[in-house]
Amino acid sequence: MADRPHRKPVPREAAFFDEQQDGVDPALVTEAAERAAVLLVRGAHDSADAGVAERLVHLADTEGIEAIAQVWSHAAADSLAGCLWRLYLLRSWVYADPAGVARQFEAGRGRAEFARVVAGVADPPGPDELRHMVDEVLRGIAASEFADVLFRAAAFARVVAAGRATLSEVPDADVRRMLVLAEQLESAGHVELARGLGSTE
């Protein structure tokens, strides 16, 4: 049997990198998501266009919550991208089940009086009032300080968490999930507030 000519094998590492060269660098995706969030928040606040606030409110409706999740859901909770994801997620949840949200908010408002006031939901807090409140929160991205937007959303989530804790049919995990959301939004609000104070010095 004749000897086969010796061929130097192609290193597996080279083939692997060749296969992956068209992949997207997660760091670049994160950076792009945060840059888009910064442009959205800062640009909306600096805009004189009255229609900007309405476009912000309906962003999830026009683009789809799934598209927003793809871009922002993996961002850190205290980043602008992470904050926007949580705000739009909150709005989508309120619109998906306004009667259920109203029931949970009603159950919690006596147990979280201060948060109820900060949330600014009309009394009595029915489905229409909850939808109006969550839209007003998002309009605040253009019209208010972003820290105030986050504090208001956090207060709303805190009242809902308190309400969930009183309802026997709500699992403990769902109570904790809403409480974590409230804490994340509140913490992000403090970060944003400190950032704003730092920029005025």
Side-chain angles (χ1 to χ4, degrees):
M1 180 183 287
D3 290 338
R4 293 182 184 175
H6 177 71
R7 289 193 177 91
K8 186 177 179 181
V10 176
R12 287 182 57 82
E13 181 180 309
F16 175 82
F17 279 104
D18 287 344
E19 289 170 9
Q20 305 304 321
Q21 67 183 355
D22 293 329
V24 181
D25 184 343
L28 293 178
V29 173
T30 300
E31 182 183 338
E34 185 64 12
R35 188 175 301 145
V38 169
L39 289 172
L40 189 71
V41 172
R42 307 298 182 220
H45 193 266
D46 295 338
S47 175
D49 182 356
V52 168
E54 288 309 308
R55 288 195 292 274
L56 280 171
V57 169
H58 297 289
L59 183 65
D61 302 333
T62 56
E63 300 302 324
I65 192 67
E66 297 83 5
I68 290 175
Q70 244 183 348
V71 178
W72 289 331
S73 64
H74 301 296
D78 61 353
S79 67
L80 285 180
C83 292
L84 287 175
W85 163 241
R86 284 158 180 79
L87 291 173
Y88 282 108
L89 185 64
L90 207 55
R91 180 183 185 270
S92 294
W93 172 63
V94 170
Y95 267 77
D97 185 19
V101 176
R103 180 168 175 263
Q104 293 176 19
F105 189 90
E106 173 66 34
R109 66 186 185 140
R111 295 166 60 96
E113 282 290 332
F114 179 75
R116 178 188 64 78
V117 172
V118 174
V121 179
D123 195 13
D128 290 340
E129 288 75 18
L130 268 295
R131 283 190 290 251
H132 177 74
M133 183 281 305
V134 79
D135 284 352
E136 281 300 304
V137 166
L138 286 174
R139 283 188 189 96
I141 295 172
S144 307
E145 294 301 321
F146 194 54
D148 294 337
V149 171
L150 297 173
F151 288 138
R152 189 175 179 192
F156 168 72
R158 196 169 288 283
V159 175
V160 170
R164 285 183 169 188
T166 70
L167 301 173
S168 58
E169 72 272 18
V170 178
D172 288 345
D174 288 352
V175 177
R176 286 194 298 273
R177 184 178 297 114
M178 189 57 63
L179 191 55
V180 166
L181 178 61
E183 290 170 348
Q184 288 174 333
L185 288 166
E186 188 174 330
S187 176
H190 287 296
V191 169
E192 182 66 18
L193 187 62
R195 184 182 292 131
L197 291 174
S199 68
T200 60
E201 290 176 358

